[in-house]
Structures are given as C-alpha cells and as structure tokens.
Amino acid sequence: MTRVRVNGDGQAMVRKVEHPGVDTDVLLEWYRSMVFVRHFEEQAERSFRRGKVGGYLHLYIGQEAVAVGVLGAIRDDDIIFASYRDHAYVLLRGTDPGAVMAELYGKATGVCKGKGGSMHLFDVQRGFYGGYGVVGGHLPLAAGAAYTLRYDHGGDRVCVCFLGDGAMNTGAFHEALNLAGLWGHDGLCPLVLVVENNQYGMGTSVPRSSAVPALASRFDAYDIPNEVCDGMDPEVVYDVVRRGVDEVRRTGRPWAVETLTYRYAAHGAADLLQPYRAKTEVQEWRQRDPIAQTEQRLRHAGALDDAKVEAIAAEAERRVQEAVTFAEASPEPAPGELYTDVYGDERQRER
Amino acid sequence: MPELTYRDALKSTLVQEMDRDPRVLLMGEDIGVYGGTFLVTEGLLARYGPKRVIDTPISEAGFIGCGIGMAMLGLRPVIEVMTWNFSLVAADQIIQNAAKIRYFSGGQAGVPMVIRGPNGAGVQLSAQHSQALESLYGYFPGLFVAAPATPADARGLLRTAIRGSDPVIFLENASLYGLRGEVPDEEYTVPFGQAAVARHGRDVTLVTHGRTLHMTLAAAAQLAAGGVESDVIDLRTLRPLDMATVVESVRRTHRAVVIEDQGGLYGVAGEVMAGIYERAFDDLDAPVVRVSGEDVPMPYARTLEVLAQPNEAKIMEAVRRTVA
Ligand SMILES: Cc1ncc(C[n+]2csc(CCOP(=O)(O)OP(=O)(O)O)c2C)c(N)n1
Ligand SMILES: [Mg+2]
C-alpha cells in the first residue's frame, strides 16, 4: 500500500509498501470514471475559451484519484459538501453530465437552473449539498450537517467535506473544526474531512501560506484523528478513506485525511502564465498521473489493452459531446426565473 | 389576556415551538448553563437537554455556519447572538451562505433558520456594542428582517420566523426585554410584511420600528395634547417592508416623519422616505423628515449617548416642523 510520510520540512515522501488490492473490475470502473471526468474538464475548458462558459472555471485535472477514491469509499446515502472546484463530485455521484454542462453554460436545464454556475453545483437528491465560492466558508455548514445526521435518527450516515490546502488558513476552518471536535466527543459529528492538498492556493504554495506545512497535524488541535496519504493513487485514497469512514460511522466522531495531490490545470481558466510554479514541477507530478498509473496497473492485470483504452476514451468523449450538445441546445433561463428561488414561500416577498 | 414581559413572550414561544416541533433547536453562547446573557433561554437546557440547547464556544462564524448546515438538512435552528454586534464576524455565513443558498442551488436547498438577539444601543455599551444593523441585513435578498417592538409581536413574529422556510434576522433590544404587554393566549402568528398601526391620527404619519416605537408613541401622546393627531406605524418587519400601509396613511395625512435608531445615511428611514416619494409624492403637503441616530460611533458617556440617539423631544420637534 502506498502511504505517505511528511518530513520535517513538510515535504511529502511517498513510500510504496504494498497494494491494497481492489478488485480489477472496480479498478476498471474507477479508470473509466477518471477518464470521463478528465474529458469533461478538458471540454469545459474548451467551451470556456469559446466563450460558452462564463465566470470562473476551476478544473479538477490531476486530482481525479481523490474524488474517485473517496466517492468509492462512501455510500449513496452519505452527503457531500465541497468548494467551487466541484465538477468531479457531482459527475461521480451520477448526476446527468448534460445537466452539469448546461449549468456551466448558464442554461435553464442546468442542475441549478443556470443560477449557480460552475462554482455552485448542487444535486441534493444525490446528497450533493453544493459547491461554495468563499474559501473555507462551507466548512461550518458541513459540520452542522454532520450533527443533523445524528440528531434524531441516530443512523450511521456520514457527511464528507472536501476542502483545499488554502481553506485551512481561514477562520471558518478553525471554528468549524473545534465545534466538530467537541460534538464528536458526544458521537454527534460524523464528519469526514478530505483535504485536497494540491500544493497551492491559487499562486501561493503551502510552505508560503502555512506556518506548519504538515497540514494534517492541525487536526490534532481539535482532537480529530487524521492521516496523510498519496492523493494520486485511487486505490490508496480508497483504502485509507474506507477505513476512516468506517470509524466515523461507528463512532460519530470526525476524521480527516490530507491527500497529497496536484492540479496540472491552471487554478482557474484565467490563470495563464502560472509564474508561481516551474513547468518541470508539473511534469514531475504528471509522472504519477492517476489515470496513467491506473492504466498501467490494469494492463499489468490483463484487464486493459490498447484497443480497450481507446474504446474507453472514445466512450468518455462521446458522453461529453452528448452533454455539450444538450447544453448548447438548451434554452436560456426564462426572464421570470430571475425572481424565483429567493424565498421558499414566494408570497413572502415584497408586498 | 395575560400580561407578559417581552423576554417571557420570547421564552414561552421558544418553549411552545420546541414542544411542537422536535426539529427546533437552540444554539448560542452561554444560552444553556448560564441561562442566556439576557435570560431569554433560562431553564431551557434543563427542559430539553444539551442536544437541543447547545452551548457553543465563542465562534459566531462557526456556529451560525453550522446552523445553516443543520437547516439545509431539515432542522430549524434558532440561534442566539449575544448581541447583533458579534454577528459581524459571521457576516460571511449569513450573507454569502444563508441568504443565497436557495437561489444559487436553483431552489434545491433552503435555510429555515432564525438568528435572534439584542440590536442597537441605549445602555452605555459604547461603540463596539451598540450598533443597529437593520439596514445592513435589510439589504440582502434571501433574508427576512423582523424587529418586534412589543411582547405580542415578539411572540407572533418569532413564531412566523421559526415556522418559515428561510433565514430570519430577528432584532430585539436590551431595553425591551423587561417591557410588559398583553399577549393573546391563542396560537397566533404575525405575518411578515404587515405593519401595525399603533395609533390613529389624521394630521401626520409617524413611521418607526423596534425600540423607537415607544418614544414615538410618547411623542404622539404629547402632540395630541397640543392638537396634532398622529398615525403611528410600526413596520414590524423591515424585509419585507410594508410600504402599502405607509403610503395609505400618508395619502390621508399628507405629512410624514420617519424615526429610527441607526444613523441616517443609507438607512431604513431613507428607504421609507424614498418609497413615499416614489408612490405618494403628489399627496405630500410638506417634505418628509427623518429622525435618526447621529452619524457617529456610539459614545460611552451617558450624556453623549443620549445626544447620539433619537428621543421624544427630537421627534416632536420634527413633527412640528412638518405640520407647521
Ligand atoms: C475568502 C476568499 N478569499 C479569496 C478567494 C479567492 N480564491 C479563490 S480560490 C483561492 C485559492 C484556494 O486554494 P485551496 O483552498 O488550496 O483550493 P484549490 O483552489 O487549490 O482547490 C482563492 C484565494 C475566495 N474565493 N475566498
Ligand atoms: Mg490548493
């Protein structure tokens, strides 16, 4: 299994130990998912460049192993909160890619009727409680949601909260985690915190933004058990998170994992020059590309060959193009939609 | 009808709503063991236990944000802020999350949550503890803003707030907690967006809300002795704002004075005046006048604090100018 230690300088040292041994069928499914997410994101960027997608666009390219591993380790009735870099989670939860693309296009058929956009995807029916644009601002929501899961029915659902390395320096992070730690003492906060340490918050690296770059250690301050793991390998993420989630389900206490990952993509689609990192650094991380790694493993196991790799890519591209066609053909939101969804009871609006 | 203090009207309503609906829970600093800074929640921890009466650390952004998450998942948190001043450290949660989640989720999620506590000045708490924030929160679509001035409205508006489906900014006032008034026995609600006419008169319309209602009524009584009859309108909620009742009154009196605690710039009074000018300009016989707090941070010294706030004399003076 691949586990990661962090040395005194906060530099991650990845150590291969053994493979956890996920079924080949499962791994193949994850491979398909990662390929699909990447194709979706690449298309989203093309659509942005063509002026079809507006605003900010934060892509997930490079980080696919985290979403795939985490979502593979939880149940359909668990719930999820996330930041604005949120396309992968809804796609993996099974939301119709056409409705996701249509949301990016600002169309009436989008998951949020075109009112949220890329940063505010929602699919409450599938337990996805949003995409939030203020860094760290969603952490308290996730802690409160976790409390609710144990408030009346005492079930064993968990709430997963994805956050970036940068979010760990916000006040909301610390206030929410102290509350989560406290409530966890009473078994009332089944919160799974997944830090996606992609090494940067926009252009500011972790060592330049965090006095202690070994980020996971911060959870100790709030009595939240935590681990660090390789975030480029879906099997490792899955294995670590599955065990963490089991524990959270059993105890109602929060648990955190810092996944070490990387976005090859620009921070947002407008981040063109990237003066904060060397091209060679991106190349180095690409050596451990989650899709390529998984592909190799599957080829080795005899589950993939050139033809199958091509077929999977073609199928992903077909689904993405279908989503684009749907988004393009979809109508703009009706002008009357401007005033709906402000209040639950619309009669309560201005009299 | 029984007489209750404003505080007891709030507390008994919390009890009734918590008994009625197990999803209602309370959260805030020192609301449990300590009993609440203004004793509104005294005894409720013993009655409902720590799962429903949650004492929090001093983390306004944290626990108000948690309340939002709870509300999205179907609970109905009623959160106490020790005073509204401290809500400013949670402004991001209130404004960026609570007010907007329904909209940017395309109606998929809502935030049925109440945040309540004392707002404004009056007891020598100086600059950082005396802010009146109705125009700040009144600015944001997605929020409701209620400001009950009487025990009866405290109950009726709180009930509407708790039973509604959206976030409510519920503004109380330290000087009102001891106020006594008749509170109907039956299970009534006061709908949002419906002002109350607290006194009827034909000569001038006085529009106000919250604490300043009482000085406005006192001024109106004195003016009546001098032959000037005032229509006194208590807005009760600032979002929605019941301009229809105000305009209807102004059409009869042709004169208006608007009274508020907070400073006059960018405030509620300015908004009400704009509404009158937009909808009843031709009915006016005199310019609308406002009586606001002075445009300064709140001073500590009692003499200065009194100068900084509206009072009966200032209101009477403004009315005399208007009817002259
Ligand atoms: C409170 C706040 N400040 C600044 C920003 C602008 N901003 C958007 S993303 C971002 C970086 C966040 O980094 P991280 O949490 O590591 O997430 P990542 O983008 O790497 O996924 C910044 C500074 C913001 N959205 N919110
Ligand atoms: Mg980051």
Side-chain angles (χ1 to χ4, degrees):
Chain A
M1 174 193 333
T2 312
R3 300 301 290 278
V4 165
R5 271 183 309 135
V6 175
N7 69 19
D9 301 328
Q11 295 298 312
M13 302 195 307
V14 179
R15 195 156 46 106
K16 296 265 178 200
V17 185
E18 66 184 276
H19 272 296
V22 176
D23 273 2
T24 306
D25 288 352
V26 174
L27 195 58
L28 189 61
E29 211 32 60
W30 291 352
Y31 175 75
R32 264 187 235 283
S33 295
M34 291 194 291
V35 171
F36 174 64
V37 167
R38 187 162 299 182
H39 278 245
F40 186 96
E41 296 292 64
E42 286 168 352
Q43 176 60 48
E45 177 154 33
R46 284 194 296 274
S47 294
F48 180 88
R49 302 267 168 248
R50 286 171 49 216
K52 300 281 187 180
V53 173
Y56 291 144
L57 181 73
H58 308 90
L59 303 175
Y60 201 66
I61 298 173
Q63 301 178 210
E64 295 90 345
V66 181
V68 164
V70 172
L71 269 66
I74 64 173
R75 294 195 315 232
D76 284 350
D77 63 345
D78 293 326
I79 62 171
I80 303 170
F81 284 78
S83 75
Y84 45 83
R85 198 179 296 285
D86 57 359
H87 307 170
Y89 318 122
V90 273
L91 291 172
L92 294 171
R93 267 268 147 157
T95 307
D96 170 29
V100 180
M101 193 62 87
E103 188 61 34
L104 269 51
Y105 275 60
K107 296 296 185 76
T109 53
V111 283
C112 301
K113 308 181 195 168
K115 292 181 180 179
S118 163
M119 295 191 285
H120 303 300
L121 299 176
F122 273 74
D123 189 347
V124 165
Q125 260 188 357
R126 289 185 175 77
F128 188 73
Y129 278 87
Y132 295 85
V134 178
V135 173
H138 65 300
L139 276 132
L141 276 54
Y147 187 93
T148 309
L149 294 180
R150 290 293 164 103
Y151 177 78
D152 39 16
H153 23 66
D156 66 350
R157 297 161 72 195
V158 303
C159 173
V160 176
C161 182
F162 290 93
L163 62 144
D165 45 283
M168 293 180 73
N169 294 321
T170 67
F173 170 88
H174 294 276
E175 295 197 8
L177 266 65
N178 183 51
L179 283 158
L182 278 170
W183 294 344
H185 292 163
D186 299 322
L188 286 170
C189 200
L191 178 64
V192 176
L193 294 143
V194 180
V195 178
E196 298 190 65
N197 179 354
N198 60 7
Q199 319 300 323
Y200 295 90
M202 278 182 71
T204 308
S205 67
V206 171
R208 290 181 59 230
S209 59
S210 293
V212 177
L215 297 178
S217 67
R218 282 199 198 168
F219 294 101
D220 292 338
Y222 303 114
D223 199 19
I224 296 176
N226 56 82
E227 286 181 58
V228 183
C229 82
D230 179 6
M232 301 302 273
D233 183 336
E235 290 190 76
V236 173
V237 174
Y238 168 78
D239 183 58
V240 171
V241 172
R242 188 183 47 79
R243 281 181 292 107
V245 167
D246 284 351
E247 198 59 12
V248 173
R249 268 193 220 296
R250 200 177 58 74
T251 61
R253 280 188 70 183
W255 172 85
V257 62
E258 177 191 356
T259 61
L260 298 170
T261 182
Y262 201 77
R263 62 165 165 76
Y264 319 147
H267 162 72
D271 169 25
L272 294 174
L273 299 176
Q274 302 179 26
Y276 52 87
R277 64 182 183 185
K279 287 220 166 61
T280 51
E281 182 184 284
V282 183
Q283 286 315 316
E284 273 164 36
W285 278 89
R286 275 188 189 274
Q287 300 306 307
R288 302 202 294 110
D289 182 65
I291 296 177
Q293 274 195 67
T294 306
E295 183 184 317
Q296 260 178 18
R297 218 168 280 161
L298 285 164
R299 280 180 188 267
H300 194 72
L304 271 187
D305 54 24
D306 288 350
K308 222 165 168 186
V309 165
E310 251 173 61
I312 288 171
E315 170 65 7
E317 192 54 27
R318 187 192 62 74
R319 289 179 66 207
V320 168
Q321 291 317 314
E322 211 175 270
V324 169
T325 306
F326 174 77
E328 301 250 3
S330 290
E332 296 289 330
E337 278 294 331
L338 186 59
Y339 294 104
T340 63
D341 302 319
V342 180
Y343 293 99
D345 182 353
E346 296 291 347
R347 285 166 306 174
Q348 288 279 19
R349 232 187 128 70
E350 297 301 311
R351 287 156 46 86
Chain B
M1 253 192 286
E3 270 219 345
L4 287 181
T5 61
Y6 187 96
R7 169 188 294 110
D8 284 336
L10 290 170
K11 187 203 282 193
S12 55
T13 307
L14 289 174
V15 167
Q16 288 164 7
E17 292 303 299
M18 289 180 80
D19 284 349
R20 186 187 59 85
D21 184 352
R23 296 172 304 164
V24 178
L25 82 166
L26 310 182
M27 189 160 47
E29 292 159 14
D30 279 318
I31 63 165
V33 174
Y34 187 92
T37 311
F38 293 90
L39 301 178
V40 173
T41 55
E42 196 183 23
L44 300 191
L45 174 62
R47 189 177 170 112
Y48 297 105
K51 206 164 158 184
R52 289 185 77 189
V53 179
I54 306 171
D55 271 326
T56 67
I58 306 159
S59 307
E60 282 79 5
F63 65 78
I64 290 177
C66 286
I68 296 168
M70 291 172 180
M72 290 173 76
L73 270 281
L75 297 184
R76 293 180 170 265
V78 180
I79 298 177
E80 176 171 299
V81 282
M82 219 175 240
T83 81
W84 273 98
N85 300 280
F86 313 132
S87 76
L88 293 175
V89 299
D92 176 61
Q93 291 299 328
I94 299 170
I95 294 165
Q96 295 277 40
N97 285 334
K100 299 176 181 172
I101 281 171
R102 185 182 296 283
Y103 198 74
F104 65 57
S105 72
Q108 290 188 62
V111 184
M113 173 177 79
V114 182
I115 312 175
R116 48 153 292 273
N119 176 58
V123 285
Q124 269 197 283
L125 294 178
S126 67
Q128 289 189 322
H129 287 71
S130 298
Q131 200 71 52
L133 292 174
E134 43 269 59
S135 65
L136 173 74
Y137 290 116
Y139 180 74
F140 296 100
L143 299 177
F144 286 124
V145 181
T150 66
D153 283 345
R155 168 169 291 174
L157 288 171
L158 184 57
R159 214 178 248 141
T160 300
I162 292 173
R163 295 182 185 183
S165 40
D166 295 295
V168 180
I169 305 297
F170 198 86
L171 305 172
E172 302 160 7
N173 183 277
S175 71
L176 290 177
Y177 288 122
L179 179 78
R180 295 187 152 277
E182 290 191 334
V183 179
D185 261 337
E186 70 269 23
E187 195 181 305
Y188 67 98
T189 56
V190 172
F192 289 171
Q194 218 169 82
V197 182
R199 183 188 174 103
H200 293 273
R202 56 170 196 277
D203 299 322
V204 60
T205 300
L206 309 185
V207 186
T208 187
H209 69 275
R211 180 186 83 103
T212 47
L213 171 67
H214 303 286
M215 63 181 75
T216 303
L217 285 170
Q222 289 205 47
L223 288 161
V228 177
E229 293 295 343
S230 311
D231 230 22
V232 177
I233 295 175
D234 173 8
L235 293 169
R236 299 203 286 195
T237 61
L238 306 168
R239 184 183 267 277
L241 183 62
D242 180 7
M243 278 310 296
T245 297
V246 174
V247 167
E248 186 279 322
S249 170
V250 171
R251 291 210 167 113
R252 281 187 288 103
T253 64
H254 312 292
R255 295 176 156 82
V257 175
V258 192
I259 301 106
E260 65 181 347
D261 244 334
Q262 55 178 27
L265 286 177
Y266 312 106
V268 172
E271 189 59 41
V272 170
M273 291 163 80
I276 294 172
Y277 283 123
E278 281 167 353
R279 291 157 72 168
F281 183 79
D282 292 337
D283 295 291
L284 287 172
D285 284 344
V288 184
V289 174
R290 75 184 118 181
V291 180
S292 306
E294 296 300 320
D295 191 25
V296 294
M298 193 57 66
Y300 165 71
R302 184 63 191 150
T303 47
L304 293 180
E305 185 181 46
V306 166
L307 282 179
Q309 295 183 294
N311 58 34
E312 237 173 274
K314 289 183 188 178
I315 296 167
M316 286 169 61
E317 206 279 314
V319 172
R320 287 200 191 100
R321 257 194 294 147
T322 310
V323 296

